[in-house]
Structure formats: C-alpha cells, structure tokens
Amino acid sequence: LMRIYWTKPDGRLAVTTLVGPRLAGETRDGYITRLSGEAKRHSGYLQDATLLVAPPVLPNLYPESWRYRNGLVEIDLPLARAEAMALIRAERGLRIGLTDAGMMRLLEQAPSSVEATALKNRRQALRDLPATAQADLDTKLTAQDIAAYVPVWP
C-alpha cells in the first residue's frame, strides 16, 4: 500500500491510500499520478487539493485538525478542542442515557424522594458539563494537553 498526502484548499491535510496494481512498465511516479488522478475524480473534497511530494511527519492526535504549513503538519488547536468536545458530548450522552431508566422508575414511584432529587441534580450536572469542559479546554495550549484533559464527571 502506498499513501499520498494532499493539502485541502482550507489547509487541512488529507491522506489517501492508493490501492490498485501498477501497470506493466509503469514508473512509480506514473503510478502515483494515475491513481492520485483517480482519487481526485472520485473524492469531491480532493478536487482543489494539492499533492505533496514528500510525506510529512504526522502527529498521532486529532487527524481532522491537521494543517500543512511550511512543510510541516501542525495541529489546529481550535479544531482539536472541537474534536475533544465532540468526544465529551458523546460520553455525556451515554451517561445521561444510563440514568433514564432509573429516573423514570423514581418519577413513577417517589418523585419527591431524596434519591429522585439527587438523580435530577446529577442529570442536570451532566447537561451543564460541556460549558465547563469547553472553558477548561480553552486553557489548553498544546494538543497533548487537550488529549490529556479528562472532565470531572458528576
């Protein structure tokens, strides 16, 4: 398998794996040119992309936030924070979902009990968590710090 690297018009990086046999007598450059042309035709987001000749050193975090600048791949921190927030929101949704059955049972059996109030408060804290997490993530200045961030789950 051979990978080719593209910069999208907005500066983000795309990595395409070339799959297909090399034709008889086809040079390596000819092979790359032929298959990258096919990739461009079949992939709308690559239409205005620029092929990079040398493969860049890729970070191992937040691939949707990679940017290619001055021959280096950098991580766009606002996009990395957005990726981290998407993961936090997904986890929060799962945690809220896990409390649904208990909440329904408590509302039917003892809507004003201490246990029902505690569960309502926990669910509200889970709904409020993204605002706190976003503020915390905004203070992180490296992709490694963003990746290491774990919110305080209620």
Side-chain angles (χ1 to χ4, degrees):
L1 295 178
M2 176 179 263
R3 290 193 172 100
I4 55 174
Y5 303 88
W6 308 83
T7 56
K8 299 177 188 177
D10 65 1
R12 288 189 302 155
L13 188 71
V15 181
T16 303
T17 302
L18 298 180
V19 179
R22 190 181 287 189
L23 301 176
E26 187 174 40
T27 65
R28 181 182 182 279
D29 289 344
Y31 172 73
I32 291 171
T33 301
R34 180 175 57 84
L35 288 182
S36 63
E38 290 176 16
K40 273 191 159 189
R41 280 194 300 281
H42 297 295
S43 233
Y45 72 89
L46 290 177
Q47 292 302 320
D48 298 318
T50 303
L51 177 64
L52 301 177
V53 177
V57 176
L58 299 175
N60 61 355
L61 300 169
Y62 305 113
E64 291 300 315
S65 65
W66 292 347
R67 294 270 189 245
Y68 186 75
R69 294 184 186 106
N70 302 321
L72 299 173
V73 177
E74 299 172 348
I75 294 178
D76 185 313
L77 290 179
L79 287 176
R81 288 182 189 107
E83 284 188 57
M85 278 305 301
L87 294 172
I88 290 169
R89 284 189 179 94
E91 175 72 17
R92 181 214 41 190
L94 291 172
R95 289 175 184 238
I96 288 175
L98 291 173
T99 65
D100 285 347
M103 191 74 224
M104 294 305 295
R105 180 181 48 77
L106 286 171
L107 289 176
E108 289 173 3
Q109 296 173 358
S112 60
S113 70
V114 171
E115 188 179 349
T117 302
L119 188 53
K120 287 178 192 175
N121 291 341
R122 178 167 181 245
R123 288 169 59 91
Q124 185 61 51
L126 285 168
R127 285 191 291 275
D128 295 341
L129 184 89
T132 305
Q134 184 65 61
D136 291 344
L137 283 172
D138 287 344
T139 67
K140 306 304 180 198
L141 301 178
T142 68
Q144 290 77 13
D145 290 343
I146 293 169
Y149 174 72
V150 178
V152 177
W153 294 101

